Amino acid sequence: LTACMTLLWKLCDRSRDLQQLVFECGAAPGCLEAMAAHPENAGTQLAAMWLLFVLADGAAGIAQEIVDGGGAKLIVSALERFSTESGVQYHGSQVIWVMVDGKPSIQDSFLLANAHIVLLQALAAESFGATVKVNVTWALRALSEGRDAVVRDLVMGEAVSIIVGNLKQHVDNDRLAQRE
């Protein structure tokens, strides 16, 4: 299952024509079915999010189909379940970012699924490196753009607070290292 999704991802990566073909063949619903059928398998969740990202980034209308098929809840559940898995966090935040960017109805679906809460937790996690945190930050920004001031300030205010805290911690660590 994971290998099939990975092969489809590799096949359609960077090819709009193949992305559309893979989409039309039912890959998006297949990914969602795989995620629902194997919620405890990090590899399946990761491969599904890889393929969903490539599809949502290329073919028109896929993001809405993914959301209509329960994708927002499945993606957020995978991020929550595998909160310590950097690959899941990286690709999950990436697919959220691509799917919600500039699409208010899709933003609503992910906000209702508490994507912002799970993403803020990933941003605060000390175990993730910069590449994961950059994708998480972009996903949070995409979730809050165009929203009313309360939502925007709540989501991005917390994100900024976490980022500034991380920055202060790095500065303190550098100072300690220099003293030693």
Side-chain angles (χ1 to χ4, degrees):
L1 183 61
T2 300
C4 290
M5 288 186 289
T6 302
L7 287 172
L8 287 171
W9 165 68
K10 291 286 190 185
L11 176 69
C12 65
D13 190 28
R14 294 181 177 79
S15 172
R16 298 283 188 226
D17 292 337
L18 289 175
Q19 287 168 336
Q20 192 64 41
L21 177 64
V22 170
F23 169 63
E24 290 170 1
C25 288
C31 283
L32 299 177
E33 289 172 18
M35 290 177 80
H38 303 282
E40 301 301 324
N41 187 315
T44 298
Q45 302 301 309
L46 177 61
M49 286 190 274
W50 266 350
L51 185 53
L52 291 173
F53 163 72
V54 171
L55 293 173
D57 191 37
I62 291 182
Q64 190 62 56
E65 182 174 317
I66 292 168
V67 166
D68 291 347
K73 289 179 184 175
L74 288 168
I75 291 166
V76 172
S77 292
L79 288 172
E80 193 169 33
R81 184 173 296 109
F82 300 104
S83 62
T84 61
E85 297 286 334
S86 63
V88 172
Q89 297 300 312
Y90 178 87
H91 290 290
S93 58
Q94 192 174 40
V95 76
I96 291 171
W97 167 25
V98 167
M99 286 179 58
V100 304
D101 197 25
K103 301 173 193 98
S105 66
I106 295 174
Q107 284 174 324
D108 291 344
S109 296
F110 276 95
L111 288 168
L112 287 171
N114 292 320
H116 56 296
I117 294 169
V118 174
L119 290 168
L120 287 167
Q121 290 168 347
L123 188 61
E126 292 181 20
S127 59
F128 297 131
T131 55
V132 171
K133 292 187 179 199
V134 166
N135 274 2
V136 169
T137 302
W138 279 108
L140 286 165
R141 182 176 172 208
L143 278 171
S144 65
E145 279 189 353
R147 310 309 300 179
D148 63 43
V150 173
V151 171
R152 186 182 60 248
D153 292 349
L154 175 70
V155 172
M156 291 314 292
E158 183 67 22
V160 168
S161 175
I162 291 168
I163 293 167
V164 169
N166 288 340
L167 176 64
K168 288 179 180 177
Q169 184 64 45
H170 285 295
V171 168
D172 289 346
N173 289 346
D174 287 346
R175 286 183 183 148
L176 285 173
Q178 288 175 355
R179 289 182 189 158
E180 293 175 355

mmCIF file of all heavy atoms in Angstrom, residues 9 12 16 19-20 22-23 27-28 31 48-67 75 91 94-101 103 106 110:
data_model
loop_
_atom_site.group_PDB
_atom_site.id
_atom_site.type_symbol
_atom_site.label_atom_id
_atom_site.label_comp_id
_atom_site.label_asym_id
_atom_site.label_seq_id
_atom_site.Cartn_x
_atom_site.Cartn_y
_atom_site.Cartn_z
ATOM 1 N N TRP A 9 3.235 8.882 -6.317
ATOM 2 C CA TRP A 9 3.822 10.193 -6.007
ATOM 3 C C TRP A 9 5.008 10.461 -6.918
ATOM 4 O O TRP A 9 5.125 11.525 -7.509
ATOM 5 C CB TRP A 9 4.219 10.248 -4.528
ATOM 6 C CG TRP A 9 5.129 11.372 -4.201
ATOM 7 C CD1 TRP A 9 4.827 12.705 -4.228
ATOM 8 C CD2 TRP A 9 6.500 11.287 -3.817
ATOM 9 N NE1 TRP A 9 5.931 13.442 -3.874
ATOM 10 C CE2 TRP A 9 6.966 12.598 -3.610
ATOM 11 C CE3 TRP A 9 7.377 10.232 -3.613
ATOM 12 C CZ2 TRP A 9 8.275 12.874 -3.217
ATOM 13 C CZ3 TRP A 9 8.674 10.508 -3.215
ATOM 14 C CH2 TRP A 9 9.101 11.818 -3.029
ATOM 15 N N CYS A 12 3.904 11.181 -10.631
ATOM 16 C CA CYS A 12 3.262 12.444 -10.999
ATOM 17 C C CYS A 12 3.971 13.687 -10.469
ATOM 18 O O CYS A 12 3.573 14.804 -10.787
ATOM 19 C CB CYS A 12 1.802 12.437 -10.594
ATOM 20 S SG CYS A 12 1.486 12.378 -8.846
ATOM 21 N N ARG A 16 2.196 18.123 -14.448
ATOM 22 C CA ARG A 16 0.781 18.485 -14.312
ATOM 23 C C ARG A 16 -0.124 17.481 -15.034
ATOM 24 O O ARG A 16 -1.184 17.137 -14.529
ATOM 25 C CB ARG A 16 0.530 19.898 -14.852
ATOM 26 C CG ARG A 16 1.279 20.981 -14.118
ATOM 27 C CD ARG A 16 0.628 21.304 -12.790
ATOM 28 N NE ARG A 16 1.273 22.474 -12.205
ATOM 29 C CZ ARG A 16 1.636 22.548 -10.944
ATOM 30 N NH1 ARG A 16 1.394 21.551 -10.138
ATOM 31 N NH2 ARG A 16 2.199 23.627 -10.474
ATOM 32 N N GLN A 19 -0.266 14.398 -12.938
ATOM 33 C CA GLN A 19 -1.007 14.687 -11.706
ATOM 34 C C GLN A 19 -2.504 14.598 -11.975
ATOM 35 O O GLN A 19 -3.248 13.981 -11.203
ATOM 36 C CB GLN A 19 -0.650 16.072 -11.173
ATOM 37 C CG GLN A 19 0.718 16.145 -10.556
ATOM 38 C CD GLN A 19 1.163 17.579 -10.311
ATOM 39 O OE1 GLN A 19 0.711 18.521 -10.955
ATOM 40 N NE2 GLN A 19 2.077 17.740 -9.369
ATOM 41 N N GLN A 20 -2.932 15.203 -13.054
ATOM 42 C CA GLN A 20 -4.354 15.180 -13.406
ATOM 43 C C GLN A 20 -4.814 13.756 -13.691
ATOM 44 O O GLN A 20 -5.882 13.338 -13.240
ATOM 45 C CB GLN A 20 -4.622 16.092 -14.607
ATOM 46 C CG GLN A 20 -6.094 16.343 -14.860
ATOM 47 C CD GLN A 20 -6.772 17.101 -13.736
ATOM 48 O OE1 GLN A 20 -6.226 18.041 -13.170
ATOM 49 N NE2 GLN A 20 -7.982 16.689 -13.392
ATOM 50 N N VAL A 22 -3.480 10.888 -12.543
ATOM 51 C CA VAL A 22 -3.506 10.141 -11.286
ATOM 52 C C VAL A 22 -4.719 10.556 -10.453
ATOM 53 O O VAL A 22 -5.400 9.714 -9.861
ATOM 54 C CB VAL A 22 -2.173 10.328 -10.514
ATOM 55 C CG1 VAL A 22 -2.264 9.779 -9.099
ATOM 56 C CG2 VAL A 22 -1.038 9.650 -11.268
ATOM 57 N N PHE A 23 -5.034 11.833 -10.447
ATOM 58 C CA PHE A 23 -6.222 12.339 -9.741
ATOM 59 C C PHE A 23 -7.492 11.722 -10.328
ATOM 60 O O PHE A 23 -8.344 11.220 -9.596
ATOM 61 C CB PHE A 23 -6.265 13.863 -9.819
ATOM 62 C CG PHE A 23 -7.558 14.470 -9.353
ATOM 63 C CD1 PHE A 23 -7.979 14.321 -8.045
ATOM 64 C CD2 PHE A 23 -8.352 15.189 -10.229
ATOM 65 C CE1 PHE A 23 -9.166 14.880 -7.600
ATOM 66 C CE2 PHE A 23 -9.539 15.757 -9.795
ATOM 67 C CZ PHE A 23 -9.949 15.599 -8.486
ATOM 68 N N ALA A 27 -6.864 8.542 -7.154
ATOM 69 C CA ALA A 27 -5.796 8.446 -6.157
ATOM 70 C C ALA A 27 -6.119 9.176 -4.862
ATOM 71 O O ALA A 27 -5.776 8.691 -3.781
ATOM 72 C CB ALA A 27 -4.478 8.974 -6.738
ATOM 73 N N ALA A 28 -6.773 10.338 -4.951
ATOM 74 C CA ALA A 28 -7.065 11.098 -3.723
ATOM 75 C C ALA A 28 -8.000 10.316 -2.794
ATOM 76 O O ALA A 28 -7.684 10.132 -1.612
ATOM 77 C CB ALA A 28 -7.620 12.481 -4.059
ATOM 78 N N CYS A 31 -6.066 7.460 -1.251
ATOM 79 C CA CYS A 31 -5.187 7.885 -0.142
ATOM 80 C C CYS A 31 -5.982 8.041 1.144
ATOM 81 O O CYS A 31 -5.545 7.603 2.214
ATOM 82 C CB CYS A 31 -4.520 9.224 -0.470
ATOM 83 S SG CYS A 31 -3.160 9.104 -1.611
ATOM 84 N N ALA A 48 0.654 8.681 2.051
ATOM 85 C CA ALA A 48 -0.603 9.302 1.618
ATOM 86 C C ALA A 48 -0.470 10.824 1.577
ATOM 87 O O ALA A 48 -0.920 11.467 0.631
ATOM 88 C CB ALA A 48 -1.740 8.891 2.554
ATOM 89 N N MET A 49 0.168 11.400 2.588
ATOM 90 C CA MET A 49 0.326 12.857 2.600
ATOM 91 C C MET A 49 1.269 13.334 1.503
ATOM 92 O O MET A 49 1.060 14.399 0.936
ATOM 93 C CB MET A 49 0.751 13.341 3.981
ATOM 94 C CG MET A 49 -0.417 13.274 4.960
ATOM 95 S SD MET A 49 -0.119 14.070 6.517
ATOM 96 C CE MET A 49 0.652 12.777 7.417
ATOM 97 N N TRP A 50 2.297 12.560 1.187
ATOM 98 C CA TRP A 50 3.177 12.884 0.057
ATOM 99 C C TRP A 50 2.353 13.000 -1.222
ATOM 100 O O TRP A 50 2.445 13.959 -1.955
ATOM 101 C CB TRP A 50 4.200 11.787 -0.154
ATOM 102 C CG TRP A 50 5.521 11.953 0.490
ATOM 103 C CD1 TRP A 50 6.027 13.058 1.116
ATOM 104 C CD2 TRP A 50 6.536 10.952 0.565
ATOM 105 N NE1 TRP A 50 7.287 12.793 1.582
ATOM 106 C CE2 TRP A 50 7.621 11.500 1.247
ATOM 107 C CE3 TRP A 50 6.616 9.639 0.115
ATOM 108 C CZ2 TRP A 50 8.789 10.802 1.495
ATOM 109 C CZ3 TRP A 50 7.774 8.944 0.365
ATOM 110 C CH2 TRP A 50 8.844 9.509 1.048
ATOM 111 N N LEU A 51 1.565 11.951 -1.471
ATOM 112 C CA LEU A 51 0.778 11.925 -2.701
ATOM 113 C C LEU A 51 -0.301 13.012 -2.691
ATOM 114 O O LEU A 51 -0.505 13.689 -3.700
ATOM 115 C CB LEU A 51 0.164 10.548 -2.919
ATOM 116 C CG LEU A 51 -0.599 10.348 -4.229
ATOM 117 C CD1 LEU A 51 0.255 10.728 -5.444
ATOM 118 C CD2 LEU A 51 -1.073 8.905 -4.340
ATOM 119 N N LEU A 52 -0.964 13.214 -1.574
ATOM 120 C CA LEU A 52 -1.973 14.274 -1.491
ATOM 121 C C LEU A 52 -1.352 15.648 -1.741
ATOM 122 O O LEU A 52 -1.940 16.490 -2.410
ATOM 123 C CB LEU A 52 -2.678 14.257 -0.127
ATOM 124 C CG LEU A 52 -3.593 13.062 0.121
ATOM 125 C CD1 LEU A 52 -4.093 13.078 1.562
ATOM 126 C CD2 LEU A 52 -4.749 13.025 -0.872
ATOM 127 N N PHE A 53 -0.144 15.857 -1.229
ATOM 128 C CA PHE A 53 0.548 17.126 -1.466
ATOM 129 C C PHE A 53 0.808 17.328 -2.955
ATOM 130 O O PHE A 53 0.498 18.383 -3.511
ATOM 131 C CB PHE A 53 1.873 17.183 -0.696
ATOM 132 C CG PHE A 53 2.792 18.255 -1.200
ATOM 133 C CD1 PHE A 53 2.517 19.593 -0.960
ATOM 134 C CD2 PHE A 53 3.909 17.929 -1.949
ATOM 135 C CE1 PHE A 53 3.347 20.590 -1.443
ATOM 136 C CE2 PHE A 53 4.748 18.911 -2.439
ATOM 137 C CZ PHE A 53 4.467 20.252 -2.185
ATOM 138 N N VAL A 54 1.373 16.321 -3.610
ATOM 139 C CA VAL A 54 1.685 16.453 -5.033
ATOM 140 C C VAL A 54 0.411 16.672 -5.839
ATOM 141 O O VAL A 54 0.370 17.516 -6.744
ATOM 142 C CB VAL A 54 2.464 15.210 -5.532
ATOM 143 C CG1 VAL A 54 2.605 15.222 -7.043
ATOM 144 C CG2 VAL A 54 3.829 15.153 -4.885
ATOM 145 N N LEU A 55 -0.648 15.953 -5.515
ATOM 146 C CA LEU A 55 -1.907 16.118 -6.239
ATOM 147 C C LEU A 55 -2.523 17.492 -5.988
ATOM 148 O O LEU A 55 -2.935 18.177 -6.926
ATOM 149 C CB LEU A 55 -2.893 15.015 -5.851
ATOM 150 C CG LEU A 55 -2.521 13.603 -6.292
ATOM 151 C CD1 LEU A 55 -3.489 12.591 -5.697
ATOM 152 C CD2 LEU A 55 -2.473 13.497 -7.804
ATOM 153 N N ALA A 56 -2.581 17.898 -4.738
ATOM 154 C CA ALA A 56 -3.204 19.185 -4.395
ATOM 155 C C ALA A 56 -2.417 20.358 -4.949
ATOM 156 O O ALA A 56 -2.978 21.414 -5.230
ATOM 157 C CB ALA A 56 -3.347 19.322 -2.878
ATOM 158 N N ASP A 57 -1.130 20.166 -5.133
ATOM 159 C CA ASP A 57 -0.284 21.224 -5.668
ATOM 160 C C ASP A 57 -0.434 21.366 -7.175
ATOM 161 O O ASP A 57 -0.067 22.381 -7.732
ATOM 162 C CB ASP A 57 1.187 20.939 -5.317
ATOM 163 C CG ASP A 57 2.086 22.129 -5.602
ATOM 164 O OD1 ASP A 57 1.651 23.276 -5.382
ATOM 165 O OD2 ASP A 57 3.222 21.902 -6.037
ATOM 166 N N GLY A 58 -0.982 20.352 -7.841
ATOM 167 C CA GLY A 58 -0.975 20.383 -9.287
ATOM 168 C C GLY A 58 -2.316 20.413 -9.980
ATOM 169 O O GLY A 58 -2.485 21.124 -10.952
ATOM 170 N N ALA A 59 -3.262 19.657 -9.551
ATOM 171 C CA ALA A 59 -4.523 19.541 -10.272
ATOM 172 C C ALA A 59 -5.614 20.371 -9.602
ATOM 173 O O ALA A 59 -5.771 20.342 -8.390
ATOM 174 C CB ALA A 59 -4.940 18.073 -10.345
ATOM 175 N N ALA A 60 -6.328 21.092 -10.419
ATOM 176 C CA ALA A 60 -7.390 21.965 -9.911
ATOM 177 C C ALA A 60 -8.508 21.144 -9.279
ATOM 178 O O ALA A 60 -8.865 20.081 -9.757
ATOM 179 C CB ALA A 60 -7.944 22.812 -11.053
ATOM 180 N N GLY A 61 -9.039 21.633 -8.177
ATOM 181 C CA GLY A 61 -10.185 21.013 -7.532
ATOM 182 C C GLY A 61 -9.867 19.885 -6.576
ATOM 183 O O GLY A 61 -10.761 19.378 -5.902
ATOM 184 N N ILE A 62 -8.627 19.487 -6.510
ATOM 185 C CA ILE A 62 -8.297 18.343 -5.661
ATOM 186 C C ILE A 62 -8.441 18.681 -4.183
ATOM 187 O O ILE A 62 -8.930 17.874 -3.405
ATOM 188 C CB ILE A 62 -6.890 17.811 -5.961
ATOM 189 C CG1 ILE A 62 -6.888 17.173 -7.333
ATOM 190 C CG2 ILE A 62 -6.440 16.812 -4.920
ATOM 191 C CD1 ILE A 62 -5.576 16.568 -7.724
ATOM 192 N N ALA A 63 -8.011 19.874 -3.783
ATOM 193 C CA ALA A 63 -8.081 20.232 -2.359
ATOM 194 C C ALA A 63 -9.510 20.113 -1.845
ATOM 195 O O ALA A 63 -9.734 19.552 -0.762
ATOM 196 C CB ALA A 63 -7.537 21.640 -2.138
ATOM 197 N N GLN A 64 -10.462 20.588 -2.612
ATOM 198 C CA GLN A 64 -11.858 20.502 -2.169
ATOM 199 C C GLN A 64 -12.316 19.053 -2.104
ATOM 200 O O GLN A 64 -13.014 18.659 -1.182
ATOM 201 C CB GLN A 64 -12.769 21.319 -3.090
ATOM 202 C CG GLN A 64 -14.175 21.469 -2.544
ATOM 203 C CD GLN A 64 -14.214 22.204 -1.208
ATOM 204 O OE1 GLN A 64 -13.724 23.322 -1.095
ATOM 205 N NE2 GLN A 64 -14.800 21.583 -0.195
ATOM 206 N N GLU A 65 -11.904 18.244 -3.075
ATOM 207 C CA GLU A 65 -12.284 16.831 -3.056
ATOM 208 C C GLU A 65 -11.694 16.122 -1.837
ATOM 209 O O GLU A 65 -12.343 15.280 -1.220
ATOM 210 C CB GLU A 65 -11.835 16.123 -4.332
ATOM 211 C CG GLU A 65 -12.253 14.665 -4.346
ATOM 212 C CD GLU A 65 -11.953 13.945 -5.640
ATOM 213 O OE1 GLU A 65 -12.187 14.509 -6.715
ATOM 214 O OE2 GLU A 65 -11.498 12.785 -5.556
ATOM 215 N N ILE A 66 -10.458 16.465 -1.507
ATOM 216 C CA ILE A 66 -9.811 15.868 -0.345
ATOM 217 C C ILE A 66 -10.567 16.235 0.930
ATOM 218 O O ILE A 66 -10.845 15.385 1.769
ATOM 219 C CB ILE A 66 -8.329 16.295 -0.267
ATOM 220 C CG1 ILE A 66 -7.539 15.673 -1.429
ATOM 221 C CG2 ILE A 66 -7.710 15.907 1.081
ATOM 222 C CD1 ILE A 66 -6.144 16.245 -1.617
ATOM 223 N N VAL A 67 -10.932 17.504 1.049
ATOM 224 C CA VAL A 67 -11.684 17.953 2.227
ATOM 225 C C VAL A 67 -13.061 17.301 2.259
ATOM 226 O O VAL A 67 -13.507 16.816 3.302
ATOM 227 C CB VAL A 67 -11.784 19.500 2.253
ATOM 228 C CG1 VAL A 67 -12.816 19.967 3.254
ATOM 229 C CG2 VAL A 67 -10.432 20.102 2.579
ATOM 230 N N ILE A 75 -5.899 14.109 8.015
ATOM 231 C CA ILE A 75 -4.555 14.694 8.040
ATOM 232 C C ILE A 75 -4.231 15.206 9.435
ATOM 233 O O ILE A 75 -3.149 14.941 9.970
ATOM 234 C CB ILE A 75 -4.435 15.805 6.978
ATOM 235 C CG1 ILE A 75 -4.476 15.185 5.575
ATOM 236 C CG2 ILE A 75 -3.160 16.626 7.176
ATOM 237 C CD1 ILE A 75 -4.710 16.180 4.449
ATOM 238 N N HIS A 91 5.449 16.582 6.011
ATOM 239 C CA HIS A 91 4.548 16.445 4.868
ATOM 240 C C HIS A 91 3.109 16.797 5.213
ATOM 241 O O HIS A 91 2.378 17.300 4.352
ATOM 242 C CB HIS A 91 4.656 15.050 4.260
ATOM 243 C CG HIS A 91 5.964 14.850 3.569
ATOM 244 N ND1 HIS A 91 6.288 15.487 2.402
ATOM 245 C CD2 HIS A 91 7.047 14.120 3.903
ATOM 246 C CE1 HIS A 91 7.505 15.156 2.032
ATOM 247 N NE2 HIS A 91 7.994 14.322 2.933
ATOM 248 N N GLN A 94 2.955 20.490 5.109
ATOM 249 C CA GLN A 94 3.119 20.890 3.713
ATOM 250 C C GLN A 94 1.802 20.731 2.946
ATOM 251 O O GLN A 94 1.412 21.620 2.185
ATOM 252 C CB GLN A 94 4.214 20.032 3.083
ATOM 253 C CG GLN A 94 4.701 20.496 1.750
ATOM 254 C CD GLN A 94 5.885 19.655 1.278
ATOM 255 O OE1 GLN A 94 5.902 18.431 1.447
ATOM 256 N NE2 GLN A 94 6.883 20.301 0.704
ATOM 257 N N VAL A 95 1.111 19.626 3.134
ATOM 258 C CA VAL A 95 -0.146 19.416 2.417
ATOM 259 C C VAL A 95 -1.209 20.397 2.914
ATOM 260 O O VAL A 95 -2.002 20.913 2.121
ATOM 261 C CB VAL A 95 -0.616 17.942 2.484
ATOM 262 C CG1 VAL A 95 -1.205 17.566 3.818
ATOM 263 C CG2 VAL A 95 -1.616 17.650 1.381
ATOM 264 N N ILE A 96 -1.216 20.711 4.204
ATOM 265 C CA ILE A 96 -2.163 21.715 4.716
ATOM 266 C C ILE A 96 -1.873 23.068 4.071
ATOM 267 O O ILE A 96 -2.779 23.741 3.586
ATOM 268 C CB ILE A 96 -2.106 21.807 6.253
ATOM 269 C CG1 ILE A 96 -2.676 20.541 6.881
ATOM 270 C CG2 ILE A 96 -2.856 23.046 6.749
ATOM 271 C CD1 ILE A 96 -2.477 20.440 8.376
ATOM 272 N N TRP A 97 -0.623 23.446 4.058
ATOM 273 C CA TRP A 97 -0.222 24.728 3.474
ATOM 274 C C TRP A 97 -0.700 24.848 2.025
ATOM 275 O O TRP A 97 -1.326 25.836 1.635
ATOM 276 C CB TRP A 97 1.288 24.858 3.597
ATOM 277 C CG TRP A 97 1.977 25.922 2.824
ATOM 278 C CD1 TRP A 97 1.452 27.091 2.366
ATOM 279 C CD2 TRP A 97 3.348 25.924 2.424
ATOM 280 N NE1 TRP A 97 2.414 27.819 1.714
ATOM 281 C CE2 TRP A 97 3.585 27.116 1.734
ATOM 282 C CE3 TRP A 97 4.386 25.022 2.595
ATOM 283 C CZ2 TRP A 97 4.832 27.441 1.208
ATOM 284 C CZ3 TRP A 97 5.631 25.358 2.079
ATOM 285 C CH2 TRP A 97 5.853 26.552 1.391
ATOM 286 N N VAL A 98 -0.445 23.832 1.207
ATOM 287 C CA VAL A 98 -0.837 23.879 -0.198
ATOM 288 C C VAL A 98 -2.351 23.857 -0.354
ATOM 289 O O VAL A 98 -2.911 24.562 -1.198
ATOM 290 C CB VAL A 98 -0.185 22.697 -0.961
ATOM 291 C CG1 VAL A 98 -0.792 22.520 -2.333
ATOM 292 C CG2 VAL A 98 1.306 22.918 -1.063
ATOM 293 N N MET A 99 -3.027 23.062 0.464
ATOM 294 C CA MET A 99 -4.473 22.939 0.309
ATOM 295 C C MET A 99 -5.232 24.184 0.736
ATOM 296 O O MET A 99 -6.205 24.559 0.093
ATOM 297 C CB MET A 99 -4.980 21.727 1.098
ATOM 298 C CG MET A 99 -4.639 20.415 0.444
ATOM 299 S SD MET A 99 -5.212 18.998 1.388
ATOM 300 C CE MET A 99 -6.970 19.309 1.491
ATOM 301 N N VAL A 100 -4.824 24.836 1.821
ATOM 302 C CA VAL A 100 -5.631 25.934 2.364
ATOM 303 C C VAL A 100 -5.252 27.303 1.821
ATOM 304 O O VAL A 100 -6.026 28.242 1.950
ATOM 305 C CB VAL A 100 -5.586 25.991 3.909
ATOM 306 C CG1 VAL A 100 -6.010 24.687 4.515
ATOM 307 C CG2 VAL A 100 -4.239 26.422 4.426
ATOM 308 N N ASP A 101 -4.100 27.416 1.206
ATOM 309 C CA ASP A 101 -3.604 28.715 0.768
ATOM 310 C C ASP A 101 -4.616 29.441 -0.127
ATOM 311 O O ASP A 101 -4.854 29.033 -1.259
ATOM 312 C CB ASP A 101 -2.266 28.544 0.042
ATOM 313 C CG ASP A 101 -1.506 29.857 -0.071
ATOM 314 O OD1 ASP A 101 -1.727 30.755 0.761
ATOM 315 O OD2 ASP A 101 -0.680 29.971 -0.999
ATOM 316 N N LYS A 103 -7.880 29.663 0.207
ATOM 317 C CA LYS A 103 -9.161 28.980 0.019
ATOM 318 C C LYS A 103 -9.931 28.976 1.344
ATOM 319 O O LYS A 103 -9.771 28.068 2.155
ATOM 320 C CB LYS A 103 -8.925 27.558 -0.477
ATOM 321 C CG LYS A 103 -8.166 27.498 -1.803
ATOM 322 C CD LYS A 103 -7.818 26.056 -2.152
ATOM 323 C CE LYS A 103 -6.828 25.994 -3.265
ATOM 324 N NZ LYS A 103 -5.446 25.810 -2.793
ATOM 325 N N ILE A 106 -11.752 25.801 2.669
ATOM 326 C CA ILE A 106 -10.833 24.743 3.083
ATOM 327 C C ILE A 106 -10.135 25.139 4.378
ATOM 328 O O ILE A 106 -9.928 24.294 5.257
ATOM 329 C CB ILE A 106 -9.853 24.414 1.941
ATOM 330 C CG1 ILE A 106 -10.654 23.837 0.770
ATOM 331 C CG2 ILE A 106 -8.781 23.439 2.395
ATOM 332 C CD1 ILE A 106 -9.877 23.590 -0.483
ATOM 333 N N PHE A 110 -10.072 22.885 8.009
ATOM 334 C CA PHE A 110 -8.884 22.556 8.800
ATOM 335 C C PHE A 110 -8.922 23.220 10.173
ATOM 336 O O PHE A 110 -8.478 22.631 11.157
ATOM 337 C CB PHE A 110 -7.599 22.915 8.038
ATOM 338 C CG PHE A 110 -7.179 21.845 7.079
ATOM 339 C CD1 PHE A 110 -7.537 21.903 5.748
ATOM 340 C CD2 PHE A 110 -6.433 20.761 7.511
ATOM 341 C CE1 PHE A 110 -7.166 20.912 4.861
ATOM 342 C CE2 PHE A 110 -6.051 19.748 6.642
ATOM 343 C CZ PHE A 110 -6.424 19.825 5.307
#
